Amino acid sequence: MKIVDGDKAECDRCESTFPLEAVSLLEKDTNRDYERVLCAECLGVVGVPKGYSLRRDITHLGR
Protein backbone atom coordinates (compact mmCIF):
# COMPACT_ATOMS: atom_id res chain seq x y z
CA MET A 1 0.00 0.00 0.00
CA LYS A 2 1.34 3.40 -0.91
CA ILE A 3 0.15 6.34 1.23
CA VAL A 4 0.84 9.74 -0.34
CA ASP A 5 1.02 12.99 1.65
CA GLY A 6 -0.44 11.25 4.71
CA ASP A 7 -4.06 11.48 3.55
CA LYS A 8 -4.12 9.96 0.07
CA ALA A 9 -3.44 6.48 -1.32
CA GLU A 10 -2.45 5.20 -4.73
CA CYS A 11 -4.73 2.61 -6.32
CA ASP A 12 -2.70 -0.55 -6.96
CA ARG A 13 -4.57 -1.24 -10.19
CA CYS A 14 -4.89 2.09 -12.05
CA GLU A 15 -2.11 3.89 -10.13
CA SER A 16 -4.20 7.05 -9.65
CA THR A 17 -4.14 8.89 -6.32
CA PHE A 18 -7.31 9.26 -4.21
CA PRO A 19 -8.22 10.49 -0.71
CA LEU A 20 -8.22 7.70 1.88
CA GLU A 21 -12.01 8.03 2.18
CA ALA A 22 -12.38 7.05 -1.51
CA VAL A 23 -10.41 3.80 -1.53
CA SER A 24 -10.83 0.31 -0.09
CA LEU A 25 -8.33 -2.29 1.03
CA LEU A 26 -8.55 -5.79 -0.44
CA GLU A 27 -6.92 -8.39 1.83
CA LYS A 28 -6.25 -12.07 1.27
CA ASP A 29 -7.67 -14.13 4.13
CA THR A 30 -4.80 -16.65 4.15
CA ASN A 31 -1.93 -14.16 3.69
CA ARG A 32 -1.76 -11.15 6.03
CA ASP A 33 0.98 -9.58 3.86
CA TYR A 34 -1.30 -9.33 0.80
CA GLU A 35 -3.03 -5.95 0.72
CA ARG A 36 -4.17 -4.02 -2.35
CA VAL A 37 -5.66 -0.54 -2.34
CA LEU A 38 -8.45 -0.16 -4.90
CA CYS A 39 -10.45 2.88 -5.98
CA ALA A 40 -14.22 2.48 -6.44
CA GLU A 41 -13.97 2.01 -10.21
CA CYS A 42 -11.28 -0.68 -9.99
CA LEU A 43 -13.13 -2.40 -7.15
CA GLY A 44 -16.16 -2.59 -9.43
CA VAL A 45 -14.05 -4.38 -12.05
CA VAL A 46 -12.15 -6.69 -9.68
CA GLY A 47 -14.84 -7.31 -7.06
CA VAL A 48 -14.07 -9.34 -3.95
CA PRO A 49 -12.93 -12.83 -4.98
CA LYS A 50 -13.51 -15.85 -2.77
CA GLY A 51 -10.87 -16.02 -0.04
CA TYR A 52 -10.49 -12.23 0.16
CA SER A 53 -12.04 -9.62 2.43
CA LEU A 54 -12.62 -5.92 1.92
CA ARG A 55 -11.97 -3.12 4.35
CA ARG A 56 -13.82 0.01 3.19
CA ASP A 57 -12.67 2.43 5.89
CA ILE A 58 -8.90 2.86 5.98
CA THR A 59 -8.87 6.50 7.10
CA HIS A 60 -7.14 5.46 10.35
CA LEU A 61 -3.99 4.81 8.28
CA GLY A 62 -3.59 8.52 7.51
CA ARG A 63 -1.80 11.08 9.66
Side-chain angles (χ1 to χ4, degrees):
M1 170 178 12
K2 187 173 183 183
I3 303 241
V4 182
D5 295 332
D7 62 347
K8 297 176 184 161
E10 184 177 296
C11 176
D12 286 320
R13 186 169 187 272
C14 69
E15 299 180 352
S16 297
T17 303
F18 297 92
L20 287 176
E21 301 84 32
V23 296
S24 299
L25 188 65
L26 186 65
E27 300 173 306
K28 193 168 188 176
D29 295 337
T30 59
N31 183 354
R32 291 276 195 208
D33 294 329
Y34 184 92
E35 295 179 333
R36 297 293 182 261
V37 173
L38 296 173
C39 66
E41 185 176 331
C42 290
L43 179 59
V45 172
V46 173
V48 182
K50 186 176 181 181
Y52 290 79
S53 57
L54 186 68
R55 205 175 339 162
R56 292 196 179 270
D57 183 10
I58 62 169
T59 55
H60 66 280
L61 299 175
R63 290 190 218 181

